[in-house]
Amino acid sequence: MFELNLQYRIKTSLPVITGNYKILHYDEFPILFSGTNNYGNKLIGSYSYEDDETDLFRYFLIIVSDKQYVDFYNGKISYRSLIETNESLFIIDKDINDHIIDTFHVPLESIPADYLPHIKSFIPLQKQTQNNLNFAFSLKGKLADLHKAKVNDINNVNERIYNYLQDSLETLNVFQLNPIVYSQPSQAASYRLNFDIEFKQEQQMSMFPIDKKKVGEFLQTYLNYISYSLPEEDDGFLEDNPEKSKGFSDLKSKYEEIFTSYNTEPLSAVSDILVENISSSAEKLSEVTEYLKSNNSFDSILLGYTDDNGGFSTIGYLIEDYKALIDSKILHNEEELYIENIIVDPTPQSYRILVYDMNTETGKGRARLYPDDTEDYYRVKLHVYTVGDSLSNSIFTKSLNESKVVNVEGIGTRINGVFKKLECYIELKT
């Protein structure tokens, strides 16, 4: 163990973890961990050395910002990079009973290189909390840092976050889970907005129990992707080829695992469902982040989930410029675009489609439209106008439920040569 100059010894509680303790890597005992101190600062710490003769244990700790922690937790930056950015760190020596013996605040150049973590010391892959459907949004900055907020600001952001969660849950409509979002009270001395999600599964699906673990893992991945990964994607990737993105592919795999847990094959249009919902969810989230600019109570939000003991794990960080960052990534409604040329079929034409989203009450949905005999397709809005009974047993729901391409008659709309909408008119037997 290297010797420390006593001039660096200090008496302080800054590097002492008092809450939200989380083990990030374990090998006989905690090697890498995180938590918060009495002042609410985030800490990342690691085991450095054990003296067998004196039973002294030495730990490194650094204070990090919310953004640094999220970047580290998501594997964007290494532990070594965080230490070098801080240019100094705290060292705590403890006895075998975990009592603090000494605390030091040491400049980086005073620490032997052999004792510093490797430059590629990224956080190990974290297991997501099983059965976790409890999400939290922690408000930061301005009055929120003083544990205050204006009532109107809280009500407005709470409603926007609720709308964002509701929109994000539409990815689960195909499983007929009927998700319900409940708002829970904030914890004492903290402006953390808590939301619990429960499911009321339809009777015909009751033979397949809800795998909350798979659903929870997907939702955590989905919300993390929307808030953290989407702004880093290439412009227009959702329109061109979303599968080229590792983040999208990982999200798709999590989504398909829910199908597998239901003993059913994933729909062939899984990517289309995710593309549409990612765009929609991102627009809803941008309404949350835009509100950061106009309120007087907070200027950033940490997104995460809570465990049974109230511990908070961060999976995303929301800031004011989110909308500008994602605007070139997502799909836009045709009314938002500069329209040069619109062509609408004068009479119904025959089209091959694969429905991947359908509201049987309103007749509105989404589908792949195949303009020829190849596998090339356009994603279009689908609107089925009916006379008579609902669409529950129609060719459109058959296409959706069996993931099958079907032939229909409809009026297509092309904008600048690209199919955007298909309207079908049918009469159902009553």
Side-chain angles (χ1 to χ4, degrees), residues 180-337:
I180 301 174
V181 180
Y182 293 98
S183 179
Q184 297 291 342
S186 177
Q187 293 182 341
S190 169
Y191 268 108
R192 184 183 298 167
L193 306 179
N194 301 307
F195 299 87
D196 296 344
I197 298 172
E198 295 181 5
F199 299 104
K200 290 189 176 181
Q201 198 171 16
E202 291 189 7
Q203 188 65 36
Q204 62 264 35
M205 297 290 289
S206 60
M207 67 182 68
F208 301 114
I210 297 172
D211 189 336
K212 289 184 67 178
K213 177 178 181 293
K214 295 297 183 186
V215 175
E217 287 178 355
F218 166 71
L219 285 177
Q220 288 175 21
T221 304
Y222 184 87
L223 296 180
N224 172 264
Y225 180 81
I226 299 296
S227 64
Y228 186 80
S229 301
L230 182 60
E232 303 292 328
E233 297 283 17
D234 293 337
D235 291 350
F237 85 105
L238 283 178
E239 189 76 65
D240 299 333
N241 181 16
E243 280 82 4
K244 68 182 180 182
S245 159
K246 183 181 184 303
F248 182 91
S249 297
D250 290 344
L251 179 63
K252 180 182 176 183
S253 295
K254 291 290 184 184
Y255 193 45
E256 290 175 336
E257 286 176 7
I258 305 178
F259 286 91
T260 303
S261 72
Y262 275 81
N263 296 313
T264 185
E265 288 293 320
L267 298 175
S268 60
V270 159
S271 291
D272 303 85
I273 296 173
L274 288 176
V275 164
E276 297 289 348
N277 280 279
I278 286 170
S279 280
S280 179
S281 293
E283 288 184 338
K284 290 294 184 183
L285 186 57
S286 68
E287 294 177 9
V288 177
T289 57
E290 287 296 289
Y291 189 66
L292 296 174
K293 301 176 181 178
S294 59
N295 81 90
N296 297 308
S297 300
F298 43 85
D299 56 23
S300 61
I301 301 176
L302 281 176
L303 160 64
Y305 59 91
T306 57
D307 57 29
D308 294 336
N309 299 317
F312 179 72
S313 296
T314 306
I315 59 175
Y317 182 71
L318 307 179
I319 52 178
E320 294 180 0
D321 59 354
Y322 177 82
K323 183 175 182 179
L325 292 173
I326 59 96
D327 190 60
S328 59
K329 328 290 182 184
I330 63 175
L331 308 180
H332 291 278
N333 295 327
E334 58 267 20
E335 55 266 24
E336 298 176 353
L337 304 176

Side-chain angles (χ1 to χ4, degrees), residues 10-19 36-41 43 61 63 90 92 100 103:
I10 59 172
K11 289 185 178 181
T12 179
S13 60
L14 279 174
V16 179
I17 292 177
T18 58
T36 54
N37 62 20
N38 278 328
Y39 309 99
N41 303 119
L43 295 163
L61 290 108
I63 296 176
F90 292 96
I92 294 181
I100 296 176
T103 302

Side-chain angles (χ1 to χ4, degrees), residues 109-165:
E109 60 267 18
S110 298
I111 302 173
D114 291 345
Y115 286 86
L116 291 173
H118 192 273
I119 192 65
K120 294 184 179 180
S121 54
F122 289 91
I123 186 174
L125 182 65
Q126 297 297 295
K127 284 190 174 181
Q128 293 165 314
T129 305
Q130 295 186 5
N131 302 333
N132 194 296
L133 294 168
N134 311 114
F135 297 96
F137 295 75
S138 183
L139 309 181
K140 299 289 185 177
K142 297 181 180 177
L143 293 176
D145 287 348
L146 304 175
H147 309 302
K148 297 179 180 180
K150 293 187 175 181
V151 174
N152 191 52
D153 289 341
I154 292 296
N155 290 340
N156 284 330
V157 76
N158 191 74
E159 181 179 2
R160 285 168 170 79
I161 292 173
Y162 173 82
N163 292 336
Y164 164 58
L165 290 175

